[in-house]
Amino acid sequence: MELAYWIVAALLAVFYLYAGGKKVTQSQEQLQPMMGWVDRVPMPLVRAIGALEILGAVGLILPPLTGIATWLAVAAAIGLALIQVGGIAVHLSRGEARLIGLNIALLVAAAAAAWLATSWL
């Protein structure tokens, strides 16, 4: 279970550090080709989502690695799952149902990380 957690957590952390980093550092025009929804969302909210993604990635790795406040890994995984629920809702509201595959995969992975973390932390 521990190995499975680390694999899922590492993959999620890499993805969210990349995606969150882009949202925090790039302009709306730079994000637009990859994330069409940024045209309808205020940039401060996009930046906040990016910051939450980065914090979630750190929360998946750092607490279990240090053994300090390991429950934060579960909270981070649940938070990342909730971000994906919001992403699915945004895509569906824009009529982009065909684009929710990645959101669903990330939601399932985050839920798996939360479950795996509760089983060994």
Side-chain angles (χ1 to χ4, degrees):
M1 290 294 218
E2 186 174 346
L3 178 62
Y5 172 80
W6 282 113
I7 291 169
V8 173
L11 291 172
L12 284 171
V14 167
F15 176 84
Y16 281 112
L17 285 173
Y18 173 76
K22 288 185 95 47
K23 289 178 185 98
V24 168
T25 60
Q26 292 188 342
S27 69
Q28 187 174 24
E29 293 77 28
Q30 291 171 311
L31 292 172
Q32 182 68 37
M34 187 182 354
M35 302 172 201
W37 56 270
V38 298
D39 63 346
R40 292 193 183 163
V41 177
M43 277 311 287
L45 181 56
V46 173
R47 302 248 188 262
I49 293 167
L52 290 172
E53 289 175 343
I54 292 168
L55 289 172
V58 171
L60 288 174
I61 302 299
L62 210 51
L65 192 62
T66 62
I68 300 170
T70 55
W71 59 270
L72 285 173
V74 177
I78 292 169
L80 292 173
L82 292 174
I83 287 173
Q84 291 311 312
V85 170
I88 291 167
V90 167
H91 283 303
L92 292 177
S93 72
R94 291 174 49 94
E96 300 171 339
R98 69 188 195 297
L99 298 179
I100 65 171
L102 178 60
N103 298 96
I104 292 171
L106 290 168
L107 172 61
V108 169
W115 178 75
L116 288 166
T118 59
S119 68
W120 72 273
L121 289 178

